Amino acid sequence: MYFKNYLLLLFGFIVTGCAKQYPISGKLMCTDENSKYRMYLIDPQEFDAVLSSYLGKVIDSAHVESGGRFYFNLNTLPKEDALLFVAVQPWDEKFPNKLNTDDLKEANFLPVIFNNKENIYITANADSVLHSASMKNPSAKNRAVLDFVKEYFNLLDKFDNFTSNVDEHSLIEKESNEFQLKKQIVESTLYQQDFTLTALAIRFAAPNGDYERIAEIIKNTCTTFQGNANGNPMYNQLCSKSKNLPLVPGDTFPVMQLPMLDGGEKSTSELWNNDLTLFDFWATWCAPCRKENTTTLVPLWTKENQNGFQIVGYALDSSENGWKNAIKKDGVDKWPHASHLQGDESPLFDALHIITIPSNYLVNKEGIIVAKNLHGETLRRFVTEYLNKKDKG
């Protein structure tokens, strides 16, 4: 009897001892049983490579077995709490570090936070890895990643439903809602106080690497994690971009000479001598800009100019006649206008670090930016409330 128990115990030890624990493994569900795949583990190594194709370093690969199982051996372990991407590729893919980001519901990857004390087990559909992935008993950090991904898709669905019928005349409203979406995407991670997760969220908010419209988000993130990024190299990589991002509220508007509509020149410091000045950036060929001229700016100036509100128009145009005709046609000749008449080349845009219109900055009489890129009812409400506070103060 004792001998029998000893054999059972020995057998169990042998089985347990021989069962290899893979650091990262899982099962891939394939809709086409004839499709062949390989899995790759990609280390982005730097901020710009997060969610970017061809920039990350492949540190391991795994064959997907006939039942969909895959196993990464990871002979060389990444650093603790490293952000990695588990990506699935067709068997004949020439670029194993390719990440499909055109439609994230069909993305071929899942971000994970590696911890050498945790065995990560992933289950996902081959044609929608990010959207379908789950993990078995994830760590707190990987649970946070999964929760973020779920919240991201929830926010994206709301945004897509809202903008399904957008035309060129409602692009301003679409951009305003898109900014709010991106802000919510990043803010959904801040409670975790984990810079790696927030950096991932920023890349989800701007997978094409265009941060012009989310400059405030980037700069606020850098302030939030200052001294609290635990030496994460991505923190410095992200925050170094700030110097080339557009000015944000709290910054001082550039002081420079502008060529005016009447043929003279004025300094921007001469133009912001009202309680509140809107520097409006537009062009004759910009349909949303022209619509805003007539539906928002003219009524707003008419109502609030006598209360200390002024508008300064600046156009990205090259034709002086076309510029002057548009000003007259839109009825915006009530306020000052400037343009270098160099088309897309603009010294003022260079100083502001912007390239996109419609754009605007609201500046107080000290030249401090108090708000930016407000449009429609949001702009009207801000101007009225700001001037009312000034009167009460």
Side-chain angles (χ1 to χ4, degrees):
M1 180 177 177
Y2 290 108
F3 181 72
K4 181 179 178 181
N5 289 341
Y6 173 78
L7 288 177
L8 288 173
L9 181 62
L10 179 62
F11 177 74
F13 174 78
I14 292 172
V15 170
T16 303
C18 293
K20 185 171 182 178
Q21 295 294 307
Y22 293 92
I24 302 177
S25 61
K27 184 175 182 180
L28 194 67
M29 260 67 91
C30 309
T31 53
D32 183 358
E33 294 182 358
N34 296 319
S35 297
K36 293 184 178 180
Y37 298 98
R38 284 192 67 82
M39 305 295 295
Y40 294 92
L41 197 59
I42 301 169
D43 183 352
Q45 297 188 308
E46 59 184 30
F47 178 77
D48 285 340
V50 175
L51 230 67
S52 293
S53 287
Y54 316 121
L55 296 182
K57 179 183 178 181
V58 174
I59 60 174
D60 201 358
S61 63
H63 171 64
V64 179
E65 298 177 353
S66 58
R69 303 283 183 181
F70 62 89
Y71 314 89
F72 288 108
N73 286 302
L74 279 179
N75 294 323
T76 301
L77 295 177
K79 293 180 180 179
E80 190 78 3
D81 291 338
L83 173 65
L84 305 175
F85 288 87
V86 178
V88 56
Q89 307 287 10
W91 184 265
D92 57 353
E93 173 60 53
K94 296 180 180 179
F95 302 100
N97 58 352
K98 177 182 178 182
L99 302 181
N100 300 333
T101 58
D102 291 340
D103 182 352
L104 288 176
K105 289 186 177 179
E106 298 177 1
N108 66 326
F109 59 85
L110 176 71
V112 299
I113 306 295
F114 178 79
N115 182 323
N116 60 22
K117 300 180 183 65
E118 173 193 13
N119 294 317
I120 300 173
Y121 188 89
I122 301 165
T123 303
N125 296 329
D127 55 358
S128 58
V129 177
L130 184 68
H131 195 244
S132 65
S134 62
M135 290 188 202
K136 183 179 180 181
N137 299 323
S139 66
K141 291 193 174 185
N142 278 316
R143 168 51 59 194
V145 170
L146 292 175
D147 288 345
F148 161 72
V149 170
K150 182 179 179 180
E151 178 64 13
Y152 169 80
F153 282 118
N154 288 338
L155 291 170
L156 199 64
D157 285 342
K158 292 178 183 178
F159 177 74
D160 288 343
N161 290 336
F162 186 83
T163 60
S164 57
N165 296 314
V166 169
D167 59 24
E168 65 175 2
H169 295 290
S170 55
L171 280 175
I172 290 178
E173 187 177 10
K174 175 182 179 292
E175 284 208 354
S176 176
N177 283 282
E178 188 169 14
F179 172 78
Q180 292 302 321
L181 166 71
K182 293 177 178 181
K183 185 178 179 182
Q184 289 178 60
I185 287 171
V186 176
E187 288 181 345
S188 70
T189 67
L190 292 179
Y191 76 98
Q192 293 284 347
Q193 299 182 337
D194 183 339
F195 178 77
T196 299
L197 186 61
T198 299
L200 179 67
I202 289 172
R203 293 295 290 126
F204 267 83
N208 59 357
D210 181 5
Y211 306 114
E212 177 183 350
R213 291 295 197 177
I214 61 170
E216 298 96 314
I217 296 173
I218 301 289
K219 294 182 180 184
N220 287 339
T221 297
C222 291
T223 300
T224 299
F225 285 96
Q226 189 172 15
N228 193 32
N230 297 322
N232 192 320
M234 289 188 184
Y235 175 80
N236 291 332
Q237 293 163 9
L238 170 65
C239 299
S240 67
K241 299 179 183 295
S242 297
K243 60 185 178 182
N244 295 318
L245 290 176
L247 301 186
V248 299
D251 292 335
T252 301
F253 200 82
V255 176
M256 61 187 303
Q257 294 293 117
L258 298 181
M260 305 303 295
L261 181 66
D262 61 9
E265 284 194 352
K266 279 191 176 181
S267 169
T268 51
S269 59
E270 296 178 73
L271 295 167
W272 67 51
N273 59 1
N274 289 268
D275 291 316
L276 186 63
T277 301
L278 175 74
F279 284 86
D280 177 56
F281 304 113
W282 67 296
T284 59
W285 42 263
C286 170
C289 305
R290 301 292 296 275
K291 180 184 178 184
E292 186 168 50
N293 277 347
T294 57
T295 61
T296 300
L297 299 188
V298 170
L300 183 59
W301 185 92
T302 302
K303 178 186 176 186
E304 300 292 359
N305 177 247
Q306 61 184 355
N307 298 323
F309 175 65
Q310 182 60 290
I311 299 174
V312 176
Y314 181 91
L316 280 183
D317 275 281
S318 54
S319 168
E320 183 175 0
N321 287 335
W323 175 44
K324 290 181 176 179
N325 289 337
I327 289 172
K328 185 176 181 180
K329 182 177 181 179
D330 291 356
V332 295
D333 50 356
K334 300 172 175 60
W335 54 81
H337 286 269
S339 177
H340 284 87
L341 293 175
Q342 296 175 3
D344 291 341
E345 299 296 323
S346 166
L348 180 54
F349 271 45
D350 291 343
L352 292 165
H353 301 296
I354 63 173
I355 61 174
T356 306
I357 57 172
S359 296
N360 61 50
Y361 280 91
L362 286 145
V363 179
N364 67 17
K365 61 171 56 179
E366 285 77 39
I368 305 300
I369 298 167
V370 296
K372 62 176 284 195
N373 291 340
L374 304 184
H375 303 279
E377 182 57 34
T378 304
L379 174 61
R380 287 190 286 265
R381 187 168 57 250
F382 180 90
V383 170
T384 300
E385 291 177 356
Y386 185 93
L387 295 175
N388 285 341
K389 287 180 182 177
K390 177 265 302 183
D391 292 338
K392 293 177 182 178

